[in-house]
Amino acid sequence: MPDVERLNLGRIRQLVIAGWTGRNTEAVEQHIRELESIGVKRPKTTPIFYRAAAALLTTSDEIEVLGTHSSGEVECVLYNIDGEVFVGLGSDHTDRKAEAIGVSLSKQMCAKPVSADVWRFSDVAPHWDSLLLRSYVRDGGKRRLYQEGSVAAMRTPQELCRMWCGESDLPDATAMFCGTLTVHGDIASAGTFEMELEDPVLGRKLTHAYAIRSLPDEG
């Protein structure tokens, strides 16, 4: 079986968060209209590529957020480190209150937890669409499935890279979040967010979980 690698976040200098990456353009448009109805502005393009500080990336098992109106989103994360591309697991944790003011603002407000382990992208590229993403939320002691689906719901990493930078690979020292899945039920804040990326072809998983500590919002 191919090796699991340890992520070196110290080599990452820029962070890109790809949004609205669904392959089904009609479903993407429907979701945009749903969010418009609750005050979230329509993106300028689809997909759209938000920039955020690389310092937001963390492998910690706890993050701190303002108030109780943020939530996680499970995603594949690509990294180019010294010319080699890796894939890991991450959560685009987002402040939903700020999202209604500006999506770019909301992306910058929360830490972005990622798995400490990664795979070489070349090991999974031949069967990329077989990979499965899941997330779970836990609050009050009860764990429930929050998101689940194939990465085939989103555009491929190569396509996202070409749309962002004109090349099929990321620039060196760059990380890119590749898009998320719809949630089961409503978007929900929780005390803990758990996530996994499963490779059923090679019989392995990447996992990460983190607690969310809410800081008081004094206005």
Side-chain angles (χ1 to χ4, degrees):
M1 182 181 295
D3 292 336
V4 174
E5 305 288 335
R6 296 294 286 183
L7 177 62
N8 183 358
L9 281 179
R11 305 295 295 173
I12 299 300
R13 294 289 178 264
Q14 59 179 348
L15 171 60
V16 182
I17 301 174
W20 308 105
T21 65
R23 295 187 195 181
N24 185 329
T25 56
E26 291 182 2
V28 169
E29 176 61 25
Q30 180 180 355
H31 190 44
I32 289 173
R33 290 177 180 173
E34 290 172 347
L35 290 178
E36 279 185 315
S37 70
I38 60 172
V40 178
K41 294 179 181 178
R42 170 178 289 269
K44 296 176 182 178
T45 62
T46 56
I48 190 168
F49 300 93
Y50 302 101
R51 294 295 301 275
L56 294 174
L57 294 167
T58 179
T59 57
S60 175
D61 59 5
E62 181 180 86
I63 65 170
E64 295 179 315
V65 300
L66 181 64
T68 58
H69 38 70
S70 68
S71 61
E73 296 179 345
V74 64
E75 306 198 16
C76 292
V77 187
L78 287 186
Y79 304 92
N80 187 327
I81 299 174
D82 296 331
E84 186 167 8
V85 180
F86 299 90
V87 60
L89 176 68
S91 173
D92 177 17
H93 203 94
T94 299
D95 186 300
R96 302 300 171 186
K97 187 175 181 180
E99 192 172 37
I101 301 171
V103 177
S104 292
L105 171 66
S106 70
K107 298 297 184 189
Q108 182 64 29
M109 287 188 63
C110 299
K112 306 301 181 190
V114 295
S115 61
D117 292 334
V118 293
W119 298 326
R120 286 187 175 89
F121 180 68
S122 59
D123 291 337
V124 296
H127 56 275
W128 177 261
D129 282 357
S130 299
L131 302 182
L132 301 169
L133 283 167
R134 296 184 188 90
S135 71
Y136 302 84
V137 292
R138 187 188 296 272
D139 215 354
K142 188 174 181 180
R143 182 178 187 255
R144 69 177 178 89
L145 183 66
Y146 187 61
Q147 295 170 282
E148 182 177 41
S150 167
V151 301
M154 279 82 74
R155 296 174 188 263
T156 66
Q158 297 94 328
E159 184 177 6
L160 291 175
C161 290
R162 283 194 297 269
M163 296 178 82
W164 178 60
C165 66
E167 303 288 341
S168 58
D169 286 333
L170 287 177
D172 192 28
T174 300
M176 177 186 280
F177 279 67
C178 296
T180 194
L181 303 164
T182 57
V183 304
H184 296 306
D186 296 328
I187 293 173
S189 300
T192 302
F193 192 82
E194 303 173 37
M195 52 187 172
E196 63 184 39
L197 175 61
E198 180 182 359
D199 180 351
V201 173
L202 296 178
R204 58 185 183 167
K205 289 182 181 180
L206 295 175
T207 63
H208 187 64
Y210 62 95
I212 298 98
R213 181 183 176 194
S214 296
L215 304 176
D217 185 351
E218 305 295 353

